[in-house]
Amino acid sequence: MPGGVGVEPVDGGEGLTLTFPDNRLTVLLFGAFDAHLHRLEARLGIACYPVGNRVTLMGPPEMLERARGLLTVLYGALEMGQRVDEARVEAGILALERPEDGPDPLDEAAVLKTPLREIRPRTPRQADYIRELTRRPLVFAIGPAGTGKTYLAVAAAVLDFIEGRVGRIVLTRPAVEAGEHLGFLPGDLQDKVDPYLRPLYDALYDMLGYEKVERMLGRNQLEIAPLAYMRGRTLAEATIILDEAQNTTIEQMKMFLTRLGEGSRVVVSGDVTQVDLPSNRRSGLSHALEVLKRVEGISFVWFTHRDVVRHPLVKRIVQAYEEAATREGMAAGRLA
């Protein structure tokens, strides 16, 4: 075991006491105010009683063994100088729940190490997505908000740039009105569309810092622009991300995909259930998923409510909408 983690059974056979050698690492393992242990309690149905560098686990034997294994692995990660945070604990719990395809908390191949942040998959599907982002020249990420589609794509793009695989990053979104009217917003065109691009700026600031992002913008190593600015261009040696792709028209999607140049990688992300186009216009994303599904060299990664990593309530909201859509689809089929 890492660092000689001690394991002692509790009288009665329904508990284990784990002893960790390094008090400093134990504090990090348990989390602020024992938050990581509380997460284990809630998800595995066990009770955790920490005292100093020891924790007693009580509950069903199978769950105790899972918790022991995860805490031991995470302690080993801390000994190796790696970070154990909420995201990593969550990834480990998911691996316990779905061991056949869960992300390994120690799998360094599934980690995106940007200058300011180390980003790990929090669900098995996110781990799949990271792998596809490093393998394919064109990746479609489809699913609800909060699943990390855009954030992970930006992280992979930053890594491509930092490691010299591409010379620039291009991030774009269609400036489609979602019930609001651009014409009534103040400022020139750039001022009007900047709010639509703000999530992309935020992700970059999170990974590179404000000054680095501004320098890259000034050197044309980074471009954040509405989709309309992509027309007539060929983008070589670049990572290009199209966000909110469900709001492209068929013509816009075809235009964008044909911008792919030599040595470039393209990521297209969107949620086909949240289209803001007029009702008489078909989503370019939905159309592309049908047209391109058999084209070699393209990867499609589908996210569901299980991959939502925002507030737990968001996951339940997305699940409710997914179930409602299924019921409505079944009802429409019966009527037909």
Side-chain angles (χ1 to χ4, degrees):
M1 289 185 186
V5 176
V7 183
E8 301 174 18
V10 173
D11 291 344
E14 293 188 358
L16 293 173
T17 295
L18 307 182
T19 303
F20 301 95
D22 190 324
N23 286 355
R24 181 182 60 84
L25 295 183
T26 303
V27 171
L28 300 174
L29 178 67
F30 294 171
F33 303 104
D34 300 324
H36 298 163
L37 297 181
H38 295 325
R39 184 174 288 266
L40 281 176
E41 289 178 321
R43 296 290 292 278
L44 299 183
I46 63 173
C48 301
Y49 303 99
V51 178
N53 65 330
R54 297 161 61 93
V55 59
T56 297
L57 311 175
M58 304 293 293
E62 180 182 356
M63 294 302 167
L64 291 182
E65 187 58 29
R66 291 185 181 186
R68 181 202 64 77
L70 178 57
L71 288 171
T72 301
V73 167
L74 294 176
Y75 184 80
L78 288 167
E79 286 186 315
M80 294 164 59
Q82 299 174 13
R83 181 181 179 186
V84 171
D85 56 11
E86 178 182 326
R88 195 157 194 186
V89 174
E90 179 67 17
I93 293 172
L94 285 167
L96 295 176
E97 294 175 342
R98 288 182 277 176
E100 70 283 356
D101 63 354
D104 181 351
L106 282 176
D107 182 7
E108 293 302 301
V111 180
L112 298 171
K113 297 180 179 179
T114 65
L116 296 184
R117 188 172 292 272
E118 184 178 277
I119 298 162
R120 295 178 177 273
R122 296 176 64 174
T123 72
R125 193 57 48 85
Q126 285 191 349
D128 292 340
Y129 184 38
I130 290 174
R131 285 190 287 269
E132 293 304 304
L133 287 172
T134 61
R135 292 172 50 201
R136 303 287 187 180
L138 176 54
V139 178
F140 283 82
I142 310 98
T147 51
K149 303 184 302 295
T150 302
Y151 193 83
L152 292 175
V154 172
V158 167
L159 204 57
D160 280 344
F161 178 81
I162 294 297
E163 296 183 354
R165 287 186 288 272
V166 299
R168 65 195 308 234
I169 301 171
V170 180
L171 310 178
T172 185
R173 274 184 165 190
V176 173
E177 302 163 354
E180 305 88 1
H181 297 286
L182 286 172
F184 288 97
L185 294 174
D188 58 19
L189 177 61
Q190 193 63 48
D191 293 330
K192 292 175 188 292
V193 300
D194 265 356
Y196 292 85
L197 304 171
R198 179 52 52 186
L200 302 177
Y201 283 102
D202 291 343
L204 286 165
Y205 292 151
D206 200 29
M207 299 168 200
L208 291 170
Y210 179 83
E211 292 183 359
K212 175 68 172 177
V213 170
E214 293 303 308
R215 284 199 302 271
M216 289 177 64
L217 286 168
R219 296 169 182 170
N220 292 322
Q221 296 170 327
L222 172 64
E223 180 178 355
I224 306 176
L227 180 59
Y229 286 24
M230 299 297 108
R231 188 173 297 277
R233 303 172 60 186
T234 299
L235 298 169
E237 303 294 333
T239 296
I240 310 112
I241 300 172
L242 171 58
D243 192 31
E244 298 290 343
Q246 74 275 5
N247 289 329
T248 61
T249 64
I250 294 174
E251 296 79 10
Q252 286 174 327
M253 179 61 76
K254 180 181 178 182
M255 176 274 294
F256 173 76
L257 293 176
T258 54
R259 301 308 94 199
L260 179 61
E262 191 69 29
S264 289
R265 189 194 312 277
V266 169
V267 183
V268 178
S269 69
D271 180 357
V272 292
T273 69
Q274 296 198 43
V275 179
D276 298 316
L277 293 169
S279 58
N280 62 341
R281 302 297 299 271
R282 187 179 181 190
S283 166
L285 177 59
S286 297
H287 180 262
L289 296 177
E290 292 182 10
V291 171
L292 304 176
K293 60 185 176 183
R294 292 185 179 87
V295 175
E296 186 178 353
I298 301 176
S299 178
F300 300 90
V301 181
W302 296 83
F303 295 90
T304 70
H305 68 273
R306 294 184 180 89
D307 303 296
V308 173
V309 292
R310 291 180 182 171
H311 191 286
L313 183 57
V314 176
K315 181 177 293 190
R316 295 196 291 271
I317 290 170
V318 172
Q319 182 177 6
Y321 273 99
E322 287 178 356
E323 292 171 351
T326 300
R327 289 193 301 270
E328 291 168 3
M330 294 172 62
R334 287 195 296 268
L335 291 174

